[in-house]
Amino acid sequence: MADATAAVCNLAILEALSGDAVQEISESYVGFCAATESLLSGIGDLSAGSEMARHVHRLCKHQLHSLVREHFLTSLEENFERNGAVKFWQHFEPYRDISISEVDRSHACDDQIQEVLCKALEEISLENQYQKKCLLVLVDALQTYKDQVLPAKCGAVTKKEFLLSKYQLMISSVLMASLPRHFPEILRWYFKERLEELSATMAGESTDHFYSQENDEMDVDGNNRMPSESSRMDIDGGLHGDFSENKLIKNIGKVVCDLRGIGFISMAEDAYASAIFLLLKAKVNDLAGDDFRSSVLDSIKEWIQAVPLHFLHALLSFLGDSFSYERSSDIKSPLASRPLSCYPGSDNLSEGLVRWQLRLEYFAYETLQDLRIGKLFEIIVDYPESTPAIEDLKQCLEYTGQHSKLVESFISALRYRLLTAGASTNDILHQYVSTIKALRTIDPAGIFLEAVGEPIREYLRGRKDTIKCIVTMLTDGTGGNPNGTGNASDSLLEELNREEENQENGAVEDNFNTDDKQAWIAAACWEPDPVEADPLKGSRSHRKVDILGMIVGIIGSKDQLVNEYRVMLAEKLLNKSDYDIDSEIRTLELLKIHFGESSMQKCEIMLNDLIDSKRTNSNIKATIGQASQTSTVSEDSGNSLDILDATIISSNFWPPIQEEVFNLPGPVDQLLSDYSRRYTEIKTPRKLQWKKNLGIVKLELQFEDREVHFMVAPVHAAIIMQFQEQKSWNSKKLAAVMGLPIDVLNRKINFWIIKGIIAETMDQEGEGHIYTLLEGSGDSTKNGGDGGSCEELLAVDDEGEGSVASVEDQLRKEMTIYEKFIMGMLTNFGSMALDRIHNTLKMFCVADPTYDKSLQQLQSFLSGLVSEERLDFKDGVYYLKK
Amino acid sequence: MATVNGHTEDRYQGNTPAAAPTPKQPIPTAKSVDTQSVLKRLQSELMALMMSGDSGISAFPEEENIFCWKGTITGSKDTVFEGTEYKLSLSFPNDYPFKPPKVKFETACFHPNVDVYGNICLDILQDKWSSAYDVRTILLSIQSLLGEPNTSSPLNTQAAQLWSNQDEYRKMVEKLYKSPST
């Protein structure tokens, strides 16, 4: 090919050639070829150079420059292919099967590979350099000829550079063409090992480094002329560290240099970049781990500064880097929170290094973000403690902007781990609250929260006890967790408080004295909504993250929530023995702020009832003194009105109260009627109607050898009082005296049996049980030893039934009116779908009790009827059960 | 006699399916000021009917129109209609309750006072109407009419003639009866 081009070029002068000239050319050419051969084969010996120069001159005379160049390069290539490349690759042949992922590679093997790599690179570099020298000989020869012919021309430099770059290209193409597949792996692995080694040295050294710095400062500041012993030692240590580190970097630098020499620039860069990233990833994983209680971002950044950047800095400066054309100390990384002046010579930090830093930090952010997102569920479970991890994640997301990744992964984690039948409603709610709080940190505008919260809300709507749990959380300091494990921060009560404070602050802000400056500040603080925001959901101002609002949003209407709260409040108030309702008043005031005065009106009346009761009660007590002379009540029973406190309620405003009829023991009944008589005297024409099953009784049981104190429901007290006179009762008789159905009595008396006060035996003569009072302490300690200690127990009824009808019961009661309508329409229309029933009820039940139930309420009622086998539900429509 | 019988029977069989597409009562437009009071009256009648809990009678307004009701009557015990269920349509005039509603059988009913189109011959639905009657009393009257027909002025002469033979009549009812729910 070379000859062909030469021939084409010289076509014009071919005719002018004489026979002698042709003779001369062919002779010189043969001589030139031989000289080239001997030059290339002669190792380290350039003696053939002068011989070759002569031939070159002669050929050049006939304008055959290009022929000379082409031939020489071709010979170089062939020679390199034969001697350099093949040998070079042969070094790596034994490691063909080694893959980088092999974990259990022995250390010996590591060293071996390192050695082989260095040796091979050295060899090929030598070869390369020698060939370069040969090339220079040729260049020289061409130059000297040119100088003779055209003394004043100056194209030499370009010619030389051209030839050299051509040669470089040729070499790397030869190597690349025969590149074995495992070589990049070997390179990557090499850099990884070296970096790890470096990282280890750095880690050992960094402490020393800080030490010595500190000491240096001390010396300077304190003007201490006498270097302390420790400081000298530290400096020694530091020097040693620097030395070994420098050696290591030099080593790596040499490898990189050699690789560049043979044209493997990008491959080398790829290899050490991937090694650095691998190391960084491992480091992030190592640092972040499963500990969410500390922020790791700073230490990761520090590590990036300390290890990979230090390495790159050293490497680039060792190579006398080509990047360093521009001093870029004023180009600062936007990600670098502090200037990089802590390293010697960092003022001539190259732009390349800044780029590297940006890449590394972005990678670190992304890695950490992925790690944290993967564990977001756990992080939120330990929410208040895991705040540092949340903060880290927030920072990461600010840089990477991959919020959607968070939303997707978190939703799937929720579906898989939280929104399952096994999770208790309380836990779900707590997690929901924690999620709201945590995501509020990450995303103050609440856009991602909306996306994440929706599945939880959806799920909670399907749970029956959601409202109850929410109300308990709202009002209970313990966060409504029955196990008492819920910490105070879960409590929504606290959230109510916060809300109040916010509103107070807000009121101040809304004053009209905002001047222009404040307006300007407000305008400057404005930030656009994230692009993911749903434009339909209104602007930021309306979307303020409001935990209570989001919780109420689960239920749909605040009325239901208020209703449930009322039931709970009633239960609580009825079980109070003193009239201390301070905390309830406070809660109510907070709820009023949130839900409005009017919706809490009934609750307020309930609380007022308690306050009034307290006053009335003390008024009635006050009359005892005057009335006692005229009183017809015999005082011989030993009971005075002092022991009775009444709660007088306006029953219209209270939730329906469960009635339970039973006979109170005579003296107590007497007491009650005396109380009502006095009440009527004060408050004519009002009369008291006792709800005998409500309230609590403080009881002191005296036995022969001990005293036991209890706080029990009136029924329990009434039962045990029957045993005062008669130690043993037949269950039937007792039921008759108590005015209770026998099964109810059996259930209620269980309380005392469990407490070890009463023993149950079967009646010998017939059906029924015999209940006997246990006098001795021996039995009681066996049955329930702690009954003896003066404990206060508020007896909860065995089935947990409250004194107030639950919301579900109320609903059921209210729905019975509509039940007839539903039956009526189904009789006439055969089958109807849920929404048609709903609509028909809405249309025709407008009279007295207007139909105001939601579709969900209707559905649950209908499914109740289905389970009672009064309706059939098939293919989405309801039928009458025939 | 036989020809007459056969004739009516033919008419019956031919007309049973035709009973379904009865011409719908046009929706009365609320033009008088009294519409409100009519609505109220019907509302309260519905309420009363629902709360009364009478067995065997029921009625409910059709969707979106309280002037058109669907009614259901089951045959009383110990009558030939025992165990049957008949659908009715009731359409109320705008000047209800001063005028009676139009009541028709939607299910074919073999009865001396009910014709093949489901029209009912009942005095309180015509000249003896009083505003004191309501849906409930109408339905109760029709229910009792089933067991005690007025054979002296029949719309269905075949039924009137057969009435005296209760066993045969029962067979006829069973033969012609089609459960509205199927």
Side-chain angles (χ1 to χ4, degrees), chain A residues 527-734:
Chain A
E527 272 180 58
D529 284 342
V531 281
E532 292 87 343
D534 187 347
L536 297 176
K537 300 224 167 121
S539 84
R540 169 186 301 254
S541 51
H542 304 297
R543 226 187 304 107
K544 202 182 117 236
V545 176
D546 155 27
I547 295 188
L548 279 181
M550 298 195 80
I551 292 283
V552 175
I554 299 173
I555 311 165
S557 86
K558 65 176 184 184
D559 290 348
Q560 271 174 279
L561 191 85
V562 170
N563 211 10
E564 186 73 48
Y565 172 68
R566 199 160 65 96
V567 169
M568 214 197 67
L569 182 68
E571 188 86 30
K572 223 176 194 177
L573 293 180
L574 289 176
N575 281 323
K576 278 203 185 301
S577 58
D578 45 13
Y579 299 98
D580 177 24
I581 53 170
D582 288 350
S583 69
E584 279 79 10
I585 290 177
R586 173 155 175 72
T587 313
L588 182 68
E589 288 301 320
L590 292 173
L591 287 173
K592 262 205 256 176
I593 292 171
H594 201 267
F595 296 123
E597 295 260 345
S598 56
S599 50
M600 303 308 288
Q601 195 193 20
K602 284 184 173 177
C603 297
E604 196 166 17
I605 290 173
M606 285 160 67
L607 288 183
N608 277 335
D609 277 349
L610 263 270
I611 296 168
D612 279 347
S613 300
K614 185 179 185 180
R615 198 168 41 238
T616 313
N617 196 50
S618 54
N619 281 346
I620 289 172
K621 298 277 170 67
T623 63
I624 296 173
Q626 315 138 16
S628 57
Q629 298 92 4
T630 55
S631 172
T632 50
V633 180
S634 56
E635 298 284 324
D636 54 345
S637 64
N639 297 331
S640 77
L641 283 177
D642 280 335
I643 62 164
L644 182 68
D645 290 318
T647 304
I648 300 141
I649 64 172
S650 332
S651 58
N652 277 342
F653 297 95
W654 287 61
I657 284 167
Q658 307 243 311
E659 286 271 17
E660 197 175 10
V661 187
F662 62 94
N663 299 333
L664 284 175
V668 181
D669 215 19
Q670 185 67 44
L671 211 56
L672 291 187
S673 55
D674 188 31
Y675 193 99
S676 9
R677 196 172 48 73
R678 284 169 197 275
Y679 179 82
T680 319
E681 276 168 19
I682 296 173
K683 295 258 185 184
T684 347
R686 295 187 190 178
K687 280 182 184 165
L688 286 182
Q689 284 181 329
W690 294 99
K691 304 277 184 190
K692 291 174 186 173
N693 56 324
L694 303 184
I696 46 172
V697 180
K698 274 185 198 160
L699 212 58
E700 186 188 307
L701 302 183
Q702 286 187 330
F703 294 98
E704 284 158 358
D705 52 349
R706 67 206 160 113
E707 276 181 22
V708 194
H709 294 260
F710 286 105
M711 272 174 98
V712 294
V715 190
H716 295 131
I719 291 173
I720 201 70
M721 239 175 129
Q722 298 297 339
F723 288 86
Q724 201 165 1
E725 302 303 320
Q726 189 178 331
K727 303 288 181 216
S728 182
W729 284 88
N730 178 287
S731 58
K732 263 190 185 168
K733 265 188 202 155
L734 185 58

Side-chain angles (χ1 to χ4, degrees), chain A residues 781-833:
Chain A
T781 42
K782 189 180 73 200
N783 289 341
D786 48 1
S789 61
C790 183
E791 58 175 341
E792 292 214 337
L793 279 170
L794 186 63
V796 185
D797 277 18
D798 316 325
E799 315 83 43
E801 70 190 26
S803 42
V804 182
S806 73
V807 173
E808 290 96 70
D809 290 346
Q810 285 180 48
L811 175 70
R812 178 154 283 265
K813 215 175 213 171
E814 286 166 13
M815 287 300 273
T816 44
I817 300 162
Y818 309 118
E819 183 184 329
K820 290 187 171 145
F821 278 82
I822 295 165
M823 295 301 170
M825 63 181 89
L826 286 175
T827 312
N828 291 295
F829 299 124
S831 64
M832 290 169 89

Side-chain angles (χ1 to χ4, degrees), chain A residues 356-412:
Chain A
W356 262 108
Q357 188 183 1
L358 287 172
R359 272 173 77 186
L360 287 176
E361 282 187 355
Y362 185 86
F363 184 79
Y365 280 131
E366 203 175 18
T367 313
L368 184 63
Q369 167 216 304
D370 287 354
L371 202 67
R372 288 303 188 217
I373 285 180
K375 293 271 181 189
L376 189 59
F377 188 84
E378 284 90 341
I379 292 175
I380 285 181
V381 167
D382 329 338
Y383 167 63
E385 283 83 34
S386 62
T387 320
I390 298 271
E391 284 291 336
D392 277 0
L393 180 58
K394 184 194 173 189
Q395 281 199 36
C396 292
L397 284 172
E398 268 168 25
Y399 294 123
T400 59
Q402 295 172 335
H403 290 83
S404 54
K405 211 181 206 176
L406 177 140
V407 172
E408 273 164 34
S409 132
F410 189 55
I411 285 180
S412 73

